[in-house]
């Protein structure tokens, strides 16, 4: 029996991947199909700012707060501004994206939006139950909600790290920022460490920027440590004492090669972080999510079904990503040495293509030879290979 609470698609979680899915579905679904988006939040706040590199300008041109064509990488023996063409690097504020999606969907009668907490999804029947006692039935459910704090990952076989960052959105009295160039990785540091830790600057104007301290860590660190580093960086590196902190961001992205239990064939399909869309070795996921969601919707509309290859990255890329996470995340090869060496030897265009999993086998081998401590990377790859298709 079809009731008003029956939908063709239910998006359980309406953050980045849920909303990207809604925008893609809007392009292909029929006039009588119905889509329900359920999120525990109204998405009325700027809960994050996404930055990404891409060659796809579809969202960038509509939503980016700023776009850059150059990045700067600084560390021992290297301090270069590099052009990233044909890529661009852009920043989109969460709230701008959420408002854009709402504007696109508000007059489309096929879409409904409910603010509620999903309690349970019954996979066989496709019933989604929310904590306010309501039930909705979906022919296909895209599940993207998850709680990072409650991630339980068996650490024996997998690397689990945190990309933890503290960012200050600042306004300085005098122009100090180079508006054309993103400081992608500045390995200047207050203390010696093998971990991958760096400063990152998104300059919005000469006097406005997001300045962030990022660390790949096995255990999350006290917020004060990040503040100490940021204070040091402003004083010793930027030589700025007169500035106002407009907003702060302190959060983390889990970085893991754990293969999240993927659901593809039944009524529930996982997308977003919970489907492994966050690249383990970098923590980036905006462009990957955009690409994977487009692939899923295309598969649905052309083949009428989703296959594993539409969601899951090829094995050799997962394997390499996992080995890179092991050596850089755990400081087996010091983060600064690893990344500086890569940027010294490879053009960013090539590195981005490699990280986007578009490099050919020849290019992958070239990258393996360019990294310092390649023996350690090879050992990590073999170790990961031994746990085989669990990755
Ligand atoms: C502060 C921060 C900054 C980041 N910056 C970048 C960046 O610069 N570049 C990049 O590529 N990636 C970045 N990331 C990674 C980030 O995880 C992804 O960009 C992206 O938001 C993940 O999309 P998602 O759909 O998986 O999760 P989310 O966007 O988090 O969406 C999940 C949604 O589920 C909802 N939800 C949770 N539980 C329930 C429930 N029980 N019922 C209903 N709804 C629920 C939440 O409200 C949320 O809207 C950042 C992450 C954080 C936390």
């Amino acid at each position: 029996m079809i009731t008003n609470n029956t939908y063709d698609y239910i998006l359980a979680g309406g953050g980045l991947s849920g909303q990207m899915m809604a925008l893609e579905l809007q392009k292909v679904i029929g006039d009588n199909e119905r889509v329900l988006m359920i999120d525990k939040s109204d998405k009325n706040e700027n809960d994050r700012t996404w930055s990404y590199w891409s060659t796809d300008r579809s969202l960038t041109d509509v939503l980016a707060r700023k776009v850059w064509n150059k990045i700067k990488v600084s560390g021992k023996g290297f301090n270069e501004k590099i052009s990233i063409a044909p890529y661009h690097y852009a920043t989109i504020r969460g709230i701008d994206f959420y408002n854009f999606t709402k504007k696109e969907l508000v007059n489309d009668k096929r879409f409904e939006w409910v603010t509620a907490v999903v309690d349970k999804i019954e996979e066989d029947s496709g019933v989604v139950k929310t904590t306010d006692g309501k039930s909705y039935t979906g022919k296909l459910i895209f599940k993207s909600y998850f709680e990072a704090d409650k991630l339980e990952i068996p650490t024996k076989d997998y690397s689990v790290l945190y990309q933890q960052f503290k960012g200050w959105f600042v306004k300085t009295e005098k122009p100090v920022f180079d508006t054309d160039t993103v400081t992608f990785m500045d390995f200047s540091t207050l203390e010696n460490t093998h971990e991958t830790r760096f400063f990152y600057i998104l300059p919005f104007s000469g006097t406005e920027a997001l300045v962030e301290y990022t660390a790949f860590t096995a255990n999350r660190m006290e917020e004060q440590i990040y503040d100490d580093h940021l204070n040091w960086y402003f004083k010793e590196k930027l030589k700025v004492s007169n500035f106002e902190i407009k907003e702060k961001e302190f959060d983390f992205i889990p970085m893991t090669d754990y293969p999240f239990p993927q659901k593809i064939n039944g009524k529930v399909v996982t997308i977003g972080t919970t489907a492994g869309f966050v690249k383990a070795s970098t923590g980036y996921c905006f462009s990957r999510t955009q690409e994977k969601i487009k692939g899923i919707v295309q598969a649905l509309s052309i083949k009428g079904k989703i296959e594993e290859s539409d969601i899951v990255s090829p094995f050799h890329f997962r394997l390499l990503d996992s080995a890179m996470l092991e050596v850089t995340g755990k400081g087996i090869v010091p983060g600064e040495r690893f990344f500086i060496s890569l940027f010294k030897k490879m053009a960013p265009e090539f590195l981005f293509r490699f990280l986007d999993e578009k490099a050919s086998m020849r290019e992958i081998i070239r990258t393996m030879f360019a990294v310092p401590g390649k023996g350690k990377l090879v050992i990590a790859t073999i170790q990961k290979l031994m746990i085989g298709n669990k990755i």
Side-chain angles (χ1 to χ4, degrees), residues 33-88:
E33 291 192 285
R34 298 173 72 211
V35 183
L36 175 70
M37 179 133 68
I38 309 176
D39 199 285
K40 67 176 182 182
S41 146
D42 288 334
K43 306 309 270 183
N44 280 333
E45 282 172 18
N46 189 38
D47 55 6
R48 66 197 56 177
T49 298
W50 293 294
S51 300
Y52 57 93
W53 60 80
S54 185
T55 50
D56 179 346
R57 296 197 69 103
S58 57
L59 285 175
T60 305
D61 285 344
V62 187
L63 288 172
R65 178 168 178 201
K66 188 151 168 85
V67 184
W68 298 268
N69 299 312
K70 276 184 277 181
I71 59 169
K72 187 175 164 194
V73 179
S74 307
K76 264 186 211 101
F78 192 75
N79 183 23
E80 300 273 336
K81 264 192 211 179
I82 325 163
S83 158
I84 55 171
Y87 286 84
H88 62 274

Side-chain angles (χ1 to χ4, degrees), residues 12-19 38-43 47-52 89-90 98 116-119 130-131 144-147 163 165 200 212 249-254 271-275 277-278 283-289:
L16 181 72
S17 54
Q19 294 201 18
I38 309 176
D39 199 285
K40 67 176 182 182
S41 146
D42 288 334
K43 306 309 270 183
D47 55 6
R48 66 197 56 177
T49 298
W50 293 294
S51 300
Y52 57 93
Y89 196 80
Y98 306 143
V117 177
V118 176
D119 185 29
T130 50
T131 53
S144 64
Y145 72 88
F146 77 104
E147 283 156 290
Q163 181 178 142
F165 47 87
Y200 166 84
E212 206 159 84
E249 179 178 79
F250 181 54
D251 219 316
F252 70 91
I253 302 170
I271 55 170
T273 309
T274 184
F277 287 10
V278 177
Y284 278 90
C285 97
F286 188 90
S287 301
R288 269 163 80 83
T289 302

Side-chain angles (χ1 to χ4, degrees), residues 8-11 21 24-25 28 139-143 262-272 275 277 291-313:
D8 295 282
Y9 302 96
I10 293 182
L11 308 176
M21 181 56 82
E24 283 307 308
L25 285 174
V28 298
K139 291 180 192 159
L140 190 59
I141 297 158
F142 288 107
K143 175 188 176 291
Q262 229 120 31
K263 298 180 194 304
I264 291 164
N265 296 317
K267 285 191 184 244
V268 181
V269 174
T270 45
I271 55 170
F277 287 10
E291 206 161 289
K292 283 184 189 278
I293 296 281
K294 279 185 181 173
I296 292 169
V297 174
Q298 209 171 23
L300 265 181
S301 57
I302 294 171
K303 300 183 280 190
K305 62 173 182 177
I306 304 163
E307 289 168 303
E308 194 171 282
S309 58
D310 299 315
I311 294 191
V312 183
S313 298

Side-chain angles (χ1 to χ4, degrees), residues 8-9 25-35 107-111:
D8 295 282
Y9 302 96
L25 285 174
Q26 193 186 27
K27 296 177 192 163
V28 298
I29 59 171
D31 290 347
N32 296 320
E33 291 192 285
R34 298 173 72 211
V35 183
N107 292 322
D108 191 330
K109 298 267 180 300
R110 300 171 298 175
F111 286 81

Side-chain angles (χ1 to χ4, degrees), residues 227-265:
D227 285 325
D228 292 345
H229 278 82
L230 285 165
N231 277 315
W232 171 82
Y233 194 67
F234 271 87
K235 190 164 171 237
E236 301 297 333
K237 292 284 160 180
L238 300 176
K239 312 265 184 226
V240 179
S241 49
N242 284 333
F243 63 92
E244 191 189 337
I245 302 172
K246 295 279 195 188
E247 256 178 73
K248 292 178 184 174
E249 179 178 79
F250 181 54
D251 219 316
F252 70 91
I253 302 170
M255 299 166 81
T256 180
D257 53 1
Y258 173 64
F260 291 91
Q262 229 120 31
K263 298 180 194 304
I264 291 164
N265 296 317

